[in-house]
Amino acid sequence: GMSVAPYEGLEPDQITKALRGATGGKVDEKSKLWSDGGDAFLFHTGIVLKAACEHEQAYRDFCIAKLEGLEHARLMMLLEREELEKRGLGLEDLEAALARVEEQMGTYAIVAEASRNWFYTPFHHAKLLAMVEQVVPTPRGGEIASARVLELVNWLGLERPDTSSTDEEREAYAAYSRDYHNRLATRSETVHPDLLRPMSQLQSSLEWALLGVPAMHKEQRQSFTLNSRGLIEKLLRGEKLRTADDIPWHSVERGEVDVSQALYGKFVGLFLPPTQFGEAGDMMQRLLKQRVMNGIRARGAHGDKWREMLPGQTDVLLMMDEAHLLLTSDDVLLFST
């Protein structure tokens, strides 16, 4: 009945760590290759998902601001037209300028009024994983990323690398390159800012999805995605974990439960026993506990002065029943802190 957002306050690497904790944080050496590969899928798709959510909101805010400015300009033009009509003067230039403004308003309104496509939730994480996994065979052999991944990469604004091998492909890439640099020069707001910084993590993750995944051997790729998808799907099976409005927690982006209040002396209880909520309850507890652990780790940057630097924060007492199910090797490293 409460509203809980599993990914709220967590970075992609922290989500990966919490989900992998379902194995107790220890991986058998024989399975390490597959678990590491699965973690790479969780991490890279998490980076892309977070960027897609940020970019969608930032570009929408940009379009809303532009609309407000254009609406004001349109109002001024309408007042000017009324004045010119009274004076019997020509309206051709003003009408043309008004038409251009209204056309621009229509373009920005499409974005401002559109529904969101991306949310920082396990449900959309699983959706993105499935997109990346679905590669397409080419006539020359080998495989390439699907059209949906290519569309997402273009929308975020990554400059695609030149993989052309024929004159026709080189000509097509030259035209694409001209269009891309024109986009940077005239519409830089359509490009995620991390892609304007050299060697950013987002660039690496997008290139991984665009080139790295299709280059993997089919059986290897399937093993990696099965490993990562299996962890997220445990969250999607939490049928009883729902809000008062009957929205499943795996689709909640902003929740009313803030477990980080434990850092400020509040009592926070997490009771989602597997007997009642299945594996989803266990996974949710791990993600929520990770949020508190992140806050404790952040104190390390201030050394012994964290109480002065972080007013209101107190010591934290963590109590766990069935600790062997919830502890990870990462928690053990934190105990000394």
Side-chain angles (χ1 to χ4, degrees):
M2 302 188 80
S3 177
V4 177
Y7 280 8
E8 188 175 12
L10 295 178
E11 294 296 322
D13 61 325
Q14 297 161 349
I15 290 170
T16 302
K17 192 179 294 182
L19 293 178
R20 180 57 61 191
T23 61
K26 296 179 181 178
V27 178
D28 183 85
E29 281 299 319
K30 295 179 181 178
S31 307
K32 188 165 173 51
L33 172 65
W34 311 115
S35 63
D36 286 352
D39 286 356
F41 269 80
L42 287 172
F43 173 70
H44 286 301
T45 52
I47 291 289
V48 175
L49 176 63
K50 186 170 184 283
C53 296
E54 291 171 343
H55 188 54
E56 189 171 51
Q57 188 59 51
Y59 187 50
R60 184 172 180 271
D61 290 344
F62 172 86
C63 290
I64 290 172
K66 279 287 189 180
L67 267 176
E68 291 174 354
L70 289 168
E71 181 62 45
H72 178 73
R74 178 176 177 273
L75 179 60
M76 293 298 101
M77 287 180 178
L78 290 174
L79 292 173
E80 185 181 353
R81 184 175 68 179
E82 189 175 320
E83 182 63 26
L84 291 175
E85 285 176 340
K86 288 179 182 178
R87 295 164 59 186
L89 299 176
L91 302 175
E92 292 81 5
D93 291 344
L94 182 61
E95 290 286 6
L98 185 60
R100 286 194 297 271
V101 166
E102 289 177 342
E103 182 181 1
Q104 287 179 300
M105 288 178 65
T107 301
Y108 289 124
I110 291 173
V111 177
E113 296 169 6
S115 301
R116 287 181 61 188
N117 291 311
W118 295 105
F119 296 85
Y120 199 50
T121 65
F123 180 82
H124 278 76
H125 198 172
K127 173 183 171 182
L128 184 56
L129 262 173
M131 278 176 54
V132 171
E133 180 186 6
Q134 293 170 354
V135 298
V136 180
T138 65
R140 293 179 299 180
E143 294 169 313
I144 59 172
S146 69
R148 293 174 69 196
V149 170
L150 190 59
E151 181 183 354
L152 177 60
V153 167
N154 287 337
W155 174 69
L156 284 169
L158 177 71
E159 182 177 11
R160 296 203 312 268
D162 185 2
T163 57
S164 53
S165 57
T166 66
D167 290 341
E168 184 178 357
E169 289 176 347
R170 279 188 282 272
E171 188 176 328
Y173 184 81
Y176 159 77
S177 183
R178 286 193 298 272
D179 289 343
Y180 178 79
H181 286 93
N182 180 60
R183 175 183 177 182
L184 286 182
T186 60
R187 296 180 295 120
S188 60
E189 68 278 354
T190 65
V191 177
H192 192 290
D194 280 3
L195 296 177
L196 302 177
R197 298 188 298 111
M199 302 303 294
S200 67
Q201 180 58 60
L202 177 57
Q203 178 182 338
S204 298
S205 293
L206 287 174
E207 288 178 349
W208 168 87
L210 188 64
L211 302 174
V213 174
M216 292 178 186
H217 193 275
K218 181 179 179 181
E219 283 73 21
Q220 184 187 49
R221 181 173 61 246
Q222 288 175 339
S223 295
F224 290 162
T225 54
L226 182 65
N227 189 296
S228 56
R229 198 170 58 240
L231 293 176
I232 292 186
E233 285 179 351
K234 290 179 180 178
L235 287 168
L236 305 188
R237 296 190 200 117
E239 187 60 28
K240 295 181 180 179
L241 298 174
R242 291 177 171 270
T243 69
D245 297 328
D246 206 30
I247 304 299
W249 286 4
H250 63 62
S251 294
V252 176
E253 189 176 40
R254 296 282 183 270
E256 64 185 358
V257 176
D258 182 9
V259 294
S260 64
Q261 287 301 303
L263 301 169
Y264 294 87
K266 301 291 181 68
F267 287 90
V268 177
L270 302 175
F271 184 59
L272 303 169
T275 51
Q276 186 176 352
F277 299 104
E279 288 182 299
D282 179 30
M283 300 293 272
M284 287 290 179
Q285 286 190 106
R286 292 181 186 282
L287 287 165
L288 294 170
K289 181 168 71 77
Q290 185 73 44
R291 206 183 304 175
V292 178
M293 292 302 201
N294 292 342
I296 296 174
R297 283 191 184 86
R299 296 172 175 177
H302 307 294
D304 293 337
K305 295 183 178 180
W306 64 266
R307 290 177 180 81
E308 302 168 31
M309 303 301 295
L310 303 168
Q313 290 204 13
T314 67
D315 294 288
V316 174
L317 174 64
L318 176 66
M319 301 176 66
M320 290 188 289
D321 190 16
E322 303 293 344
H324 62 289
L325 297 176
L326 289 174
L327 282 177
T328 69
S329 56
D330 195 52
D331 297 325
V332 176
L333 294 174
L334 185 62
F335 287 162
S336 61
T337 306

